Amino acid sequence: MSEKNRDGKRTARERLAVEREKQKAAEKRRRTLIVGASVVCVLGLAAVIGVVAANSGKNKSSSAGPVVAPSGAQGKDGLAIPVGKDGARSTLTVWEDFRCPACQAFEAAYRPTLHELTDAGKLRIEYHLVRLIDGNLGGTGSLRAANAAACAQDAGKFRDYHDTLYANQPKETDDAFASNAKLITLAGKVSGLDTPAYRRCVDGGTHDSWVNRSQKAFQSGGFTGTPTVLLGGKNIYQDQSMTPAKLKQMVEAADRG
């Protein structure tokens, strides 16, 4: 075999090796996409702690005031906002950030199923509100939106307002939810929510410290991304085979006993 042919075959092998590595990298990237979300709201835990601490020092409203849990909050330190009946045999625990596009993608895909199961008394959801994106990109939109949602819980309108926030979520880099005026305008889309008491709660940051406590619990729990969706202690958001239909099947099987 001539030197030229050997070089040609060696070059071909090298090209094939490079192509295989590219394919492996592409497959690895594909596996990291969960539940069809185009953006995963993830941040290293150390970075979260450092940046949130820095931000809280700059924004007095993020750390000032007593911890006031919203009406009906349950669980350890009253950090869970429940949706559904207490007697449901299945409980879904959701850690979420209203600025997080992956949270919106999860909600868009699963909302009809979650509503159906909670309305039927088969599923109970415990929502934990965090401010991960504030620490990631700066701003206070996660905090302000979470406080506004907690104020909606006080008024018995949490689920409707929760869904309204996701339906009107700005781009992740747009801190539009930092505006209390915008959040109150969105409250106008929920029948009976925009009241003087609600406005005082939003403008006064009544639940700001409660949101910050929830953020600390998120960090202490070792969670690094939103949404974190737990069913029976397992993060089903990381299960690439999970679908709304599969979740419904699991919950209904548990309900039948």
Side-chain angles (χ1 to χ4, degrees), residues 143-228:
L143 172 64
R144 299 264 52 79
N147 174 68
C151 293
Q153 169 67 11
D154 289 338
K157 305 284 185 178
F158 173 79
R159 190 172 85 169
D160 288 344
Y161 189 65
H162 167 277
D163 294 351
T164 297
L165 285 175
Y166 280 120
N168 293 273
Q169 185 190 70
K171 291 182 179 180
E172 186 179 16
T173 54
D174 179 1
D175 197 26
F177 281 169
S179 167
N180 286 337
K182 180 175 180 62
L183 295 169
I184 290 171
T185 296
L186 291 175
K189 296 178 179 290
V190 177
S191 177
L193 179 56
D194 185 6
T195 64
Y198 179 76
R199 291 186 174 215
R200 286 193 299 272
C201 184
V202 173
D203 286 331
T206 298
H207 302 296
D208 282 1
S209 294
W210 174 82
V211 177
N212 285 328
R213 177 172 286 184
S214 183
Q215 174 67 26
K216 289 179 181 178
F218 176 78
Q219 295 167 359
S220 298
F223 307 123
T224 57
T226 52
T228 292

Side-chain angles (χ1 to χ4, degrees), residues 34-39 100-110 166 169 237:
I34 304 170
V35 198
S38 59
V39 180
C100 169
C103 296
Q104 183 192 50
F106 172 79
E107 286 292 330
Y110 282 79
Y166 280 120
Q169 185 190 70
Y237 186 73

Side-chain angles (χ1 to χ4, degrees), residues 11-143:
T11 301
R13 286 196 299 271
E14 290 172 351
R15 285 199 301 268
L16 286 173
V18 171
E19 185 61 30
R20 281 196 294 269
E21 288 302 315
K22 288 181 179 179
Q23 291 175 355
K24 288 179 181 178
E27 177 62 18
K28 185 177 180 180
R29 287 193 299 271
R30 185 193 67 79
R31 289 196 301 268
T32 63
L33 297 177
I34 304 170
V35 198
S38 59
V39 180
V40 180
C41 304
V42 177
L43 192 63
L45 186 57
V48 173
I49 296 172
V51 177
V52 169
N55 284 347
S56 65
K58 295 175 184 178
N59 185 352
K60 294 182 179 179
S61 68
S62 69
S63 58
V67 175
V68 180
S71 176
Q74 300 178 358
K76 184 179 179 181
D77 295 327
L79 296 179
I81 294 180
V83 172
K85 297 179 180 179
D86 290 342
R89 293 192 176 185
S90 294
T91 298
L92 194 70
T93 302
V94 181
W95 295 82
E96 63 180 7
D97 184 323
F98 288 112
R99 286 181 70 184
C100 169
C103 296
Q104 183 192 50
F106 172 79
E107 286 292 330
Y110 282 79
R111 181 181 299 123
T113 299
L114 297 182
H115 282 195
E116 178 184 350
L117 293 171
T118 53
D119 290 346
K122 299 176 181 179
L123 178 68
R124 182 174 179 273
I125 306 175
E126 294 182 347
Y127 286 101
H128 295 258
L129 311 182
V130 300
R131 52 174 309 191
L132 186 63
I133 306 302
D134 286 354
N136 188 350
L137 298 178
T140 59
S142 301
L143 172 64

